Amino acid sequence: WDYEVLLSMQTHLRVTRVGVVKWRGWHGNVGKDGSPSAGVPVEEREKVEACLAPFNCVPVWVTPSLFGEMYNGFCKGVLWPVLHNVTSVYSSNPNNSDLHHKNDSSQLPIQHTEPVPPPSSQTQTIDSDFFSYQIASQFAEYSMDDVAQGPIHGDGGKEAALWSAYTAVNRQFADVIVQCFNEGDLVWIHGFHLLILPSFLTRRIPMAKIGLFLHTPFPSSEIFRTLWCREDLLRGMLNSDQVGFHLFEYARHFLTCCRRLLGLNYGMIPDASGGHNLAIDTNGRQVTVTSIHAGIEPKVLEHVLIHSSTFDRVRSIRNQFHGKTIFCAIDRMESLKGIPLKMLGIERFLHRCPEFVGKIVLIQVGISAFERGDDYTKTKAEVLQTVANINTKWPGTVQFKECQEKEMRLQQRLALLSAADVVMVTPIRDGLNLIPLEFTFAHQDVLTNPPDGRKRGLCILSEFSSCTRVMRGALHVNPWKISEIANAFHQSLIMSNEERIRRIKCASEFVTRVTTRRWALAVMLDLKGVHKNIEAGTYAGAGLGLGFRLLGMETGFVPLEINVVAKAFKNSRSRLILLDYGGTILSNDNLDSLQRFQVVNKTRAPSFPTKALLNTLKDLCADKRNIVFVVSGKERHSLSKMLPNIPNLGLAAEHGMFVSWPTNNTSTRRRWETLVSDIDKSWRSIAITIMEVYTSRTHGSYIEETEMKVLWQYRDADPEFGYLQSRELEDHLSNVLRSFPVDILHGGVEEGGYVEVRPKGVNKGVLSTHVLKNMHKFSTHTKIDFGLVLGDDHCDEPMLSVMRQVGRRAAECRIARTGEEDNLPPIPATITLVDVSPCDEHVSQDLQMFTCTVGKKPSAAENYLNDVDEVHELLESLVKVATRDHKFHSAVDLRNLSGPSLVPGSGGLGGFMTGGGFMSPTGMPVVPNSFLSPSMPNNDLSGSGHGMKKSSSMGEFKISGEQKEKRMSNSLNEFLGTIEQEDEDEDIFF
């Protein structure tokens, strides 16, 4: 832990802090003096845990070598440069990529004599050159940006080992958090070190509200996509419920990455309180994206500033540089901090304004960044060389001191900031940096105390630092433009006192208003406001490994149980089966963009159904109790070609625009009817003309024409530009085609997106009710008592939604009629309610309706099947049930038969009744004498029910004659005949 991270420890909340313990060798580094690299000794860990308990801190014990690979190798070597939007600046050994030569003398750091630093607290003397070289050598190969881009992480090289370490540490954090978690707790994750931690947590505590806050920048999609593990990192972040950044600039890059790399949509989504939040829509869940800049804790800083030791250090520094304007900077020794650019700036300033020579001093403190490897070594050598050149020309102008992070803690830092007149923070790219805020707070007394003759309290900030957006009173510079840095030096020295006070007041407004506590409260309120059901069953997981993602489902959204469907199918007498085509009974051709384009342009043949599938459909349609429809978005000629010569199969093409009713006659061409009248087609040429304009200026888009609709596909275009163009096209078409009877739809965004124009009132939901109302045209049944509806994408949702409501209405009527207890679950809020009452006369009150989507995803369906193979298995099972129903009978079936009574010794249940007797297992009719009534001749087999009484149970069977002794069964059939079969409908197995 870092004490400064835990500054705001006084809270009324129960806070449990989970982290790693900083100890010698805690991140895998080994010092010159042989300092231990094993972290906290195992035998001491219980004592450490006891010491941390009063602070509500729970340690995660990670092996230092593993943590070193994770922290220095993956986090600092791979993620750090990418997150800061740069890659080439961190290239390791650009002139000599052979790391086996890193022990050559030419690779050793150059020896330099450092200037005498200003007085400070106790400084620990270390051999920095040896130590930095050792760490650089130890982790140099981790900093390379020319990693192999293989299908598996890092192509199985060093990068794979680093990624494995990263996932292992995240998994260990998850184990500890789960042990500490209590129902209702909020989990708040900080930093890029734990980006995939939400993936591990949601598997085990899916009901927990998880927030993730990044204190680093987030790169543009063009930089982030260079990571081989980009999808895993994004999915890990999206498994949280809230993702926070300090600036909207970083949040915007994150949103763009999710859109371009994962195809997800984002926008302002309404919340439960009536407001709107920026959120990403992913798998039925909304992940809130927050951008709130952190602040400082004034009370803690004030306590440190008034301490006597701080006054002594300030006085010592001011006395050493008496009469000079002190510029100060505290930066880590890495390329991103822009220290060499700062040195070039002061050098140019003194060249142009020699009158200030000897009147200013720059105190540059460099924090050792050993984990940066070669970058640290090179940056240090460059800084020392530049400082030496400046001090050669103007002695004492730059005071450079390098120290470890533990030597520049809050007390030492505030003493230096209080003694300085101007602070400089000029990184090339930086995340959270609180030094300007601390400096402004340290000099707030300028606003109230009388002038002391010092021109102090001004900040010079790089425009690439996050705090630039909130510190509006600072001087903003482009660190890449040396002249701007030089001009900032000059401007800070000649600025009038009134303007300086005005700038300090403007900067102080944010420092005093947004504190650490207020920032944390705002983020926590956003996280607490996330709508998440506390029932674990509301959320489902999908995917393996780090591809796991949390799906927001309605309670009860479970896999379709084939046994339940088969039982209802068997007991029904009038059945309606509606099947989608592509993606449901046949693999989808639309998933691959190139394949879709080739099919549209007729340069590639579409996929055809297998012979087994065709036979299954034929068997289903052969049963007169079944009404089977295949409802597709394909054109009618294409659908007829793919499903030819299947008697009694109904077809609906182009989402229901064309309907072909079931018929026995397959020798002639199918007759088609239109769902709505489409006399005026003049709108087509207008729509195509407009779409051609957008196609010409949107690369990757194309027009798809069918008989009744026109689509503008932009799935191959740039995601964001294509979406913007589609919205503009949608508005354009809506205005121009306002007087035409057409619908303009914008859909399929998950697959890339399209804008569709088609006749008004056509969709699969309308088609499903149309089929119900017109059953008399092709069936003798007037009411259905079984329904099965299968679909897979957004085009099928209207059909699934309508038929689910039809089934729900029938169930409500049945409950009202019988007086049963109403245990029906509420209709999901995501379903659009429609009036299905016109279908009442075509639906039995005993209707059992099954709606199912293919693929585990949010849907209007009540159940799901995983893939097309399971759909085939379901349909084949229904065929088997129908076949079995005609061939086999059990004891229960005797209730429906009027045959003679059962006689012991006659073979038991080894056969089944046929008319007035049993059929033996060999197929020969057997009629025992004892089955015949006294008035019936032994050779009369024509009377099936003469003198018989229909039995309703086994106990009512009357046995004539004397009862024979029990004997051993001589055959399997005889043995099975002795087993009393109570109810074969309990479960159906195949």
Side-chain angles (χ1 to χ4, degrees):
W1 282 272
D2 191 333
Y3 172 71
E4 295 179 31
V5 179
L6 305 177
L7 289 177
S8 183
M9 297 185 67
Q10 296 181 356
T11 175
H12 65 283
L13 300 175
R14 174 178 55 81
V15 180
T16 303
R17 300 171 176 87
V18 179
V20 294
V21 178
K22 290 186 176 181
W23 198 271
R24 291 182 302 173
W26 68 288
H27 48 41
N29 295 337
V30 184
K32 177 184 177 183
D33 57 351
S35 59
S37 60
V40 178
V42 177
E43 61 274 10
E44 300 288 333
R45 290 181 179 178
E46 290 187 6
K47 297 179 181 179
V48 175
E49 292 175 357
C51 294
L52 293 172
F55 300 96
N56 296 323
C57 294
V58 180
V60 179
W61 299 114
V62 183
T63 305
S65 59
L66 178 66
F67 192 84
E69 289 186 341
M70 174 264 194
Y71 182 80
N72 296 319
F74 188 80
C75 293
K76 290 295 186 178
V78 177
L79 281 184
W80 182 261
V82 171
L83 290 176
H84 287 79
N85 246 351
V86 288
T87 54
S88 60
V89 72
Y90 283 105
S91 178
S92 179
N93 296 329
N95 299 322
N96 182 10
S97 60
D98 186 2
L99 293 173
H100 295 289
H101 298 294
K102 61 188 177 184
N103 293 327
D104 295 348
S105 59
S106 60
Q107 299 294 325
L108 290 173
I110 304 173
Q111 300 294 326
H112 294 276
T113 303
E114 298 183 6
V116 178
S120 63
S121 61
Q122 290 183 340
T123 302
Q124 187 176 1
T125 304
I126 61 172
D127 189 342
S128 60
D129 289 331
F130 177 86
F131 191 52
S132 63
Y133 167 69
Q134 185 180 35
I135 302 307
S137 301
Q138 186 174 357
F139 294 105
E141 63 269 27
Y142 300 157
S143 302
M144 293 190 298
D145 64 335
D146 53 340
V147 295
Q149 300 294 327
I152 303 176
H153 307 295
D155 203 22
K158 271 288 185 184
E159 291 74 27
L162 299 181
W163 175 251
S164 177
Y166 186 77
T167 57
V169 173
N170 277 257
R171 190 177 291 109
Q172 291 187 29
F173 266 82
D175 294 338
V176 176
I177 292 173
V178 170
Q179 294 174 11
C180 302
F181 180 79
N182 294 291
E183 185 176 343
D185 285 353
L186 304 178
V187 181
W188 196 13
I189 303 169
H190 290 264
F192 65 101
H193 316 84
L194 303 171
L195 293 182
I196 59 176
L197 177 57
S199 291
F200 295 115
L201 291 178
T202 51
R203 287 176 180 270
R204 303 165 69 177
I205 44 175
M207 76 296 297
K209 293 184 178 181
I210 302 174
L212 173 67
F213 204 99
L214 263 68
H215 301 283
T216 59
F218 199 87
S220 68
S221 61
E222 299 305 315
I223 299 295
F224 189 80
R225 71 191 312 145
T226 61
L227 285 172
W228 72 87
C229 50
R230 59 192 187 185
E231 288 88 358
D232 292 333
L233 293 174
L234 285 179
R235 288 194 185 101
M237 299 174 69
L238 291 173
N239 275 327
S240 59
D241 301 292
Q242 178 205 46
V243 181
F245 302 90
H246 289 293
L247 296 179
F248 177 73
E249 175 187 348
Y250 308 152
R252 177 170 53 84
H253 288 162
F254 172 68
L255 295 171
T256 304
C257 286
C258 293
R259 178 72 183 95
R260 290 178 175 270
L261 300 180
L262 299 181
L264 302 177
N265 295 321
Y266 60 87
M268 301 303 295
I269 298 177
D271 56 17
S273 60
H276 290 75
N277 292 323
L278 179 62
I280 300 174
D281 190 4
T282 169
N283 299 309
R285 300 169 50 244
Q286 282 77 43
V287 179
T288 304
V289 179
T290 304
S291 54
I292 306 175
H293 199 284
I296 57 176
E297 198 61 29
K299 291 184 179 180
V300 177
L301 268 64
E302 185 178 2
H303 179 74
V304 175
L305 285 173
I306 63 177
H307 199 273
S308 58
S309 60
T310 305
F311 277 112
D312 294 339
R313 293 191 187 96
V314 172
R315 190 181 304 109
S316 174
I317 296 173
R318 293 300 306 174
N319 290 339
Q320 182 177 358
F321 304 105
H322 181 70
K324 295 183 178 182
T325 300
I326 301 176
F327 292 79
C328 82
I330 304 173
D331 303 290
R332 296 186 67 82
M333 295 290 288
E334 57 177 317
S335 301
L336 277 177
K337 301 306 178 183
I339 302 176
L341 297 175
K342 190 186 308 172
M343 298 303 165
L344 294 176
I346 191 173
E347 186 177 19
R348 180 172 297 188
F349 164 67
L350 293 178
H351 270 299
R352 293 183 175 180
C353 304
E355 65 273 15
F356 289 103
V357 173
K359 297 181 180 180
I360 66 170
V361 62
L362 172 61
I363 301 177
Q364 175 67 61
V365 178
I367 307 297
S368 301
F370 304 122
E371 71 280 357
R372 286 299 316 135
D374 286 348
D375 177 56
Y376 161 66
T377 306
K378 294 173 183 177
T379 302
K380 178 181 177 181
E382 187 176 359
V383 170
L384 290 176
Q385 184 64 45
T386 309
V387 169
N389 293 339
I390 295 175
N391 286 332
T392 300
K393 298 177 183 178
W394 306 288
T397 299
V398 179
Q399 298 293 324
F400 175 74
K401 173 193 175 182
E402 181 182 1
C403 63
Q404 296 187 57
E405 189 172 4
K406 63 182 179 182
E407 301 173 41
M408 190 53 63
R409 307 306 297 168
L410 185 62
Q411 285 187 327
Q412 293 85 7
R413 194 166 65 243
L414 281 179
L416 178 58
L417 295 177
S418 298
D421 299 306
V422 182
V423 69
M424 299 189 69
V425 180
T426 57
I428 297 172
R429 185 77 173 173
D430 200 8
L432 177 63
N433 194 329
L434 297 179
I435 288 179
L437 282 69
E438 295 171 350
F439 176 83
T440 300
F441 183 81
H443 291 273
Q444 274 189 326
D445 59 317
V446 169
L447 303 176
T448 55
N449 295 342
D452 55 2
R454 293 172 55 191
K455 295 182 178 181
R456 62 189 179 97
L458 199 62
C459 298
I460 299 177
L461 299 183
S462 165
E463 63 186 42
F464 300 107
S465 178
S466 66
C467 58
T468 303
R469 305 295 189 274
V470 297
M471 299 290 288
R472 294 174 296 168
L475 291 175
H476 298 166
V477 298
N478 178 3
W480 294 102
K481 194 172 183 179
I482 305 303
S483 59
E484 283 194 13
I485 299 179
N487 185 61
F489 274 102
H490 185 258
Q491 191 175 354
S492 63
L493 291 171
I494 65 171
M495 185 179 294
S496 64
N497 189 59
E498 291 76 13
E499 182 181 355
R500 185 167 48 82
I501 294 298
R502 189 165 55 250
R503 285 179 175 271
I504 296 174
K505 185 179 297 184
C506 184
S508 299
E509 186 271 334
F510 176 82
V511 173
T512 55
R513 179 174 55 87
V514 181
T515 63
T516 303
R517 185 174 299 182
R518 183 168 180 175
W519 163 76
L521 177 62
V523 178
M524 287 289 97
L525 288 176
D526 284 351
L527 178 58
K528 188 176 178 64
V530 170
H531 174 69
K532 195 166 189 181
N533 201 310
I534 62 173
E535 297 181 10
T538 306
Y539 301 95
L544 301 175
L546 292 174
F548 177 85
R549 55 199 181 278
L550 191 66
L551 310 181
M553 304 293 184
E554 296 295 335
T555 303
F557 187 76
V558 295
L560 185 67
E561 296 185 20
I562 296 180
N563 280 341
V564 176
V565 178
K567 178 180 178 180
F569 182 83
K570 180 180 183 298
N571 295 333
S572 59
R573 292 295 175 263
S574 179
R575 308 153 179 160
L576 175 62
I577 302 175
L578 301 178
L579 305 173
D580 174 49
Y581 183 73
T584 303
I585 62 174
L586 191 70
S587 298
N588 203 338
D589 288 332
N590 295 340
L591 297 180
D592 182 77
S593 297
L594 177 59
Q595 188 175 351
R596 165 80 179 190
F597 179 78
Q598 291 173 334
V599 171
V600 169
N601 288 273
K602 297 180 173 56
T603 57
R604 179 192 182 100
S607 301
F608 279 79
T610 62
K611 186 176 181 180
L613 175 60
L614 294 176
N615 291 335
T616 301
L617 292 176
K618 287 180 181 178
D619 291 339
L620 283 174
C621 296
D623 191 335
K624 294 182 179 180
R625 293 174 291 181
N626 298 339
I627 303 171
V628 184
F629 265 83
V630 174
V631 186
S632 173
K634 292 184 175 295
E635 296 179 86
R636 49 180 173 174
H637 65 83
S638 177
L639 195 59
S640 300
K641 183 179 179 181
M642 293 177 179
L643 298 172
N645 304 323
I646 302 180
N648 299 319
L649 175 64
L651 297 180
E654 299 203 31
H655 305 295
M657 181 62 195
F658 296 102
V659 183
S660 176
W661 302 111
T663 177
N664 282 321
N665 188 2
T666 59
S667 58
T668 60
R669 294 183 60 183
R670 277 186 173 271
R671 298 181 59 184
W672 295 86
E673 298 178 4
T674 56
L675 187 62
V676 296
S677 61
D678 186 46
I679 301 174
D680 184 10
K681 294 186 178 181
S682 58
W683 59 267
R684 289 177 61 89
S685 59
I686 301 174
I688 292 173
T689 302
I690 296 174
M691 289 180 178
E692 286 175 346
V693 175
Y694 286 85
T695 302
S696 64
R697 66 187 191 187
T698 309
H699 300 299
S701 64
Y702 56 91
I703 299 174
E704 179 181 347
E705 296 184 56
T706 66
E707 190 174 354
M708 297 301 295
K709 63 179 183 289
V710 182
L711 293 89
W712 185 75
Q713 293 276 2
Y714 65 94
R715 61 191 302 158
D716 297 329
D718 180 273
E720 292 190 345
F721 182 66
Y723 182 74
L724 292 175
Q725 291 289 83
S726 68
R727 295 301 299 269
E728 185 179 344
L729 172 61
E730 187 180 2
D731 292 339
H732 196 165
L733 291 171
S734 299
N735 292 328
V736 175
L737 302 178
R738 185 180 305 166
S739 59
F740 293 90
V742 295
D743 286 330
I744 300 170
L745 308 176
H746 190 182
V749 180
E750 295 80 5
E751 302 173 2
Y754 62 82
V755 176
E756 178 181 350
V757 184
R758 65 186 181 194
K760 196 174 189 65
V762 176
N763 62 60
K764 293 186 179 181
V766 176
L767 180 276
S768 59
T769 57
H770 185 67
V771 171
L772 279 175
K773 295 175 185 177
N774 290 271
M775 289 173 52
H776 63 279
K777 291 184 177 181
F778 51 87
S779 174
T780 58
H781 301 290
T782 57
K783 293 186 177 182
I784 63 168
D785 57 359
F786 173 88
L788 175 64
V789 185
L790 301 178
D792 76 299
D793 61 11
H794 64 280
C795 296
D796 303 316
E797 291 300 306
M799 178 173 65
L800 294 168
S801 175
V802 168
M803 296 306 290
R804 183 173 180 180
Q805 293 178 62
V806 169
R808 172 66 176 238
R809 183 174 176 86
E812 291 175 347
C813 294
R814 181 171 61 251
I815 291 174
R817 181 192 65 188
T818 60
E820 300 175 5
E821 184 179 356
D822 187 356
N823 293 323
L824 297 176
I827 296 180
T830 54
I831 291 182
T832 302
L833 299 179
V834 295
D835 182 16
V836 295
S837 58
C839 301
D840 289 350
E841 59 182 291
H842 308 286
V843 174
S844 169
Q845 291 186 359
D846 296 323
L847 170 68
Q848 289 188 275
M849 179 66 68
F850 299 92
T851 56
C852 178
T853 185
V854 180
K856 194 175 184 181
K857 57 183 180 290
S859 171
E862 196 168 5
N863 303 98
Y864 69 90
L865 292 172
N866 288 312
D867 50 34
V868 175
D869 291 338
E870 289 194 3
V871 174
H872 292 172
E873 181 183 345
L874 170 63
L875 298 180
E876 291 168 2
S877 301
L878 299 184
V879 172
K880 290 181 181 179
V881 167
T883 306
R884 179 177 183 269
D885 190 38
H886 294 298
K887 290 183 179 179
F888 301 101
H889 293 269
S890 67
V892 177
D893 295 320
L894 294 175
R895 302 172 188 165
N896 302 321
L897 300 175
S898 57
S901 302
L902 182 66
V903 177
S906 63
L909 300 180
F912 62 88
M913 285 187 174
T914 58
F918 279 94
M919 180 69 71
S920 70
T922 60
M924 299 297 294
V926 177
V927 185
N929 292 333
S930 57
F931 272 37
L932 302 177
S933 63
S935 62
M936 182 185 296
N938 291 351
N939 58 353
D940 186 3
L941 300 179
S942 61
S944 61
H946 299 289
M948 298 296 165
K949 175 185 177 183
K950 183 176 180 181
S951 301
S952 59
S953 66
M954 292 295 292
E956 295 182 16
F957 284 117
K958 295 182 179 181
I959 301 174
S960 61
E962 296 181 1
Q963 197 157 350
K964 299 181 181 180
E965 292 184 7
K966 295 182 180 180
R967 61 182 180 83
M968 297 289 292
S969 301
N970 295 325
S971 66
L972 179 61
N973 283 335
E974 287 186 7
F975 173 72
L976 292 175
T978 62
I979 300 177
E980 184 175 347
Q981 191 170 354
E982 294 181 354
D983 188 0
E984 73 165 2
D985 289 338
E986 197 65 34
D987 282 303
I988 299 175
F989 299 96
F990 306 102

